[in-house]
Amino acid sequence: MHKVTLIPGDGIGPSIASVAVEVIRAAGVEVDWQRVEAGMTAIDKYKDPLPQNVLDSIRETHLALKGPLTTPVGSGFRSVNVALRKEFDLYSNVRPAHSFEGVPSRYKDVDLIIVRENTEEFYAGIEHYIDPSRSAAETIGVVTRSGSERIVRYAYEYARTHRRKKVTVVHKANILKYTGGLFLEVARKIASEFPEIKSEDKIIDNMAMQMVLNPHQFDLIVTTNLFGDILSDLASGLVGGLGLAPGANIGYTAAIFEAVHGSAPDIAGKNIANPCALLLAGVLMLRHIGEIEAADRIERAVAAVLREGTHVTRDLNSASPVGTVEMGQEIIRKLA
Ligand code: NAD
């Protein structure tokens, strides 16, 4: 029996989280889910977006499956996602993007891994207005040598373990000479320790264009926090959208698995959200805890449902009357 913290999340979170829980149960994995609330849901209940019991639970389980959490734009409380990543030092955000047969998308056979630094730079939360009249604002992006070393090393070791052939380091060291420069300097040094893996580096703006033109030229991408956040949404767009993009936040003592997408307030409560991104995050979690066979079965069931294309949500087939719940049931039927 695995103990896992479950944060259903805001907006579409509870509906897609319940599909993930059902499918994992149907695949025969015994999980003792510790259900806790964070984000807007927790504000409504406890007047705190990150109540102590959430932290206590993750400290005990070392593992969480987390639905998306709403973060107010521009003002209001700071991101709970960022707070969780900092609290548990989840320095590595691994976001795979790969094509599924049957999913309408611009490309076939895309298979990318984005490794994003998850704790530093513009997400460090060092920002302020310079005066009371808000005539200017400053956000300070801190990049450290040790933070760069551990994320780039994680990326290369991941590439070695998963037999990835090439690592592309993405930066903006031409303009951000200090933060970008330090990250690139460290990355080039670590690359030299992995001679069997091809290494290259690219400036972020060119990289965005190259990914849209020909994503097949890339294999594993490692980059700083903000660029990684943006490029991973771009990558999910290459393979059919946010409904299929999972992510893993990995630290030394804890790991939190989530969808790349947010709480999608525009479609919340309508039973039309695609449950696959969070379910595939659950698959990453199962692999992380050694439940490889169940993970493979779930992934095959998702692939079969996507391939058939008849029991998919409307983000994948605009004429589809199939909802979140029904797509989940079909995935369970396909579990062989
Ligand atoms: P979003 O990812 O929630 O939605 C972007 C678009 O994708 C919307 O049109 C939405 O309907 C669609 N979409 C997202 N998930 C989908 C799914 N599973 N199935 C079908 N369509 C889906 O991004 P946003 O609207 O910019 O952000 C909404 C909120 O989510 C914000 O408060 C933001 O801060 C938060 N957010 C949280 C996380 C997280 O918890 N890790 C990540 C990103 C955004």
Side-chain angles (χ1 to χ4, degrees):
M1 176 81 83
H2 304 280
K3 262 193 183 174
V4 181
T5 302
L6 177 70
I7 305 172
D10 298 320
I12 61 172
S15 64
I16 57 174
S18 99
V19 169
V21 167
E22 287 304 316
V23 175
I24 290 171
R25 180 181 301 141
V29 185
E30 287 192 42
V31 178
D32 172 11
W33 297 101
Q34 294 198 357
R35 189 178 290 258
V36 290
E37 274 150 4
M40 291 303 255
T41 320
I43 292 250
D44 295 342
K45 249 188 171 166
Y46 309 107
K47 313 247 172 301
D48 180 356
L50 186 51
Q52 186 61 37
N53 69 330
V54 176
L55 302 176
D56 291 345
S57 174
I58 300 173
R59 232 165 250 133
E60 186 197 333
T61 61
H62 307 284
L63 208 59
L65 184 64
K66 187 189 76 58
L69 299 173
T70 298
T71 309
V73 174
S75 60
F77 63 85
R78 300 195 76 88
S79 167
V80 173
N81 297 309
V82 172
L84 283 170
R85 291 167 194 161
K86 283 174 83 173
E87 180 69 29
F88 294 101
D89 199 17
L90 306 173
Y91 67 94
S92 180
N93 189 192
V94 181
R95 293 180 159 183
H98 76 254
S99 306
F100 284 96
E101 210 184 308
V103 172
S105 58
R106 282 186 172 70
Y107 296 98
K108 290 192 191 327
D109 302 323
V110 172
D111 181 17
L112 288 173
I113 301 285
I114 297 184
V115 176
R116 160 196 180 197
E117 201 292 320
N118 217 14
T119 54
E120 298 197 329
E121 200 214 26
F122 295 116
Y123 290 68
I126 310 168
E127 51 181 359
H128 53 255
Y129 292 105
I130 65 158
D131 59 21
S133 66
R134 301 183 171 193
S135 59
E138 291 177 339
T139 300
I140 299 171
V142 178
V143 169
T144 66
R145 184 174 294 279
S146 59
S148 303
E149 271 170 10
R150 67 177 181 173
I151 191 63
V152 176
R153 193 172 296 286
Y154 182 94
Y156 274 91
E157 276 167 3
Y158 185 103
R160 183 178 270 170
T161 314
H162 294 83
R163 298 178 193 287
R164 296 272 165 173
K165 294 191 168 52
K166 183 166 93 167
V167 171
T168 305
V169 176
V170 179
H171 63 89
K172 186 76 185 174
N174 51 332
I175 304 298
L176 305 173
K177 295 206 185 284
Y178 290 80
T179 49
L182 177 58
F183 183 76
L184 182 58
E185 177 198 320
V186 167
R188 283 181 174 159
K189 185 167 160 282
I190 289 174
S192 67
E193 297 171 26
F194 294 82
E196 79 280 18
I197 297 168
K198 191 166 182 265
S199 296
E200 63 176 6
D201 49 73
K202 287 219 181 309
I203 296 173
I204 177 68
D205 29 354
N206 176 34
M207 181 68 187
M209 183 204 54
Q210 295 288 345
M211 278 175 74
V212 172
L213 277 183
N214 176 16
H216 299 111
Q217 63 185 301
F218 301 112
D219 190 353
L220 187 147
I221 295 159
V222 59
T223 187
T224 46
N225 207 333
L226 180 59
F227 297 156
D229 199 6
I230 297 168
L231 286 187
S232 52
D233 267 40
L234 190 158
S236 76
L238 298 172
V239 298
L242 281 168
L244 297 170
N249 300 281
I250 311 280
Y252 299 115
T253 58
I256 299 183
F257 297 82
E258 63 180 345
V260 169
H261 66 69
S263 54
D266 51 333
I267 58 167
K270 298 182 179 163
N271 189 38
I272 57 175
N274 185 338
C276 288
L278 189 61
L279 177 57
L280 291 170
V283 166
L284 297 179
M285 182 186 82
L286 292 179
R287 294 218 170 94
H288 183 78
I289 59 178
E291 292 281 359
I292 309 293
E293 201 203 317
D296 289 348
R297 280 176 64 213
I298 296 174
E299 200 168 59
R300 279 198 302 272
V302 170
V305 171
L306 295 173
R307 195 180 314 116
E308 277 183 13
T310 48
H311 288 76
V312 295
T313 43
R314 66 173 71 163
D315 54 314
L316 300 179
N317 174 358
S318 56
S320 173
V322 170
T324 311
V325 173
E326 296 73 27
M327 189 173 181
Q329 287 165 346
E330 186 63 15
I331 294 168
I332 289 174
R333 271 195 288 276
K334 288 275 187 308
L335 281 172

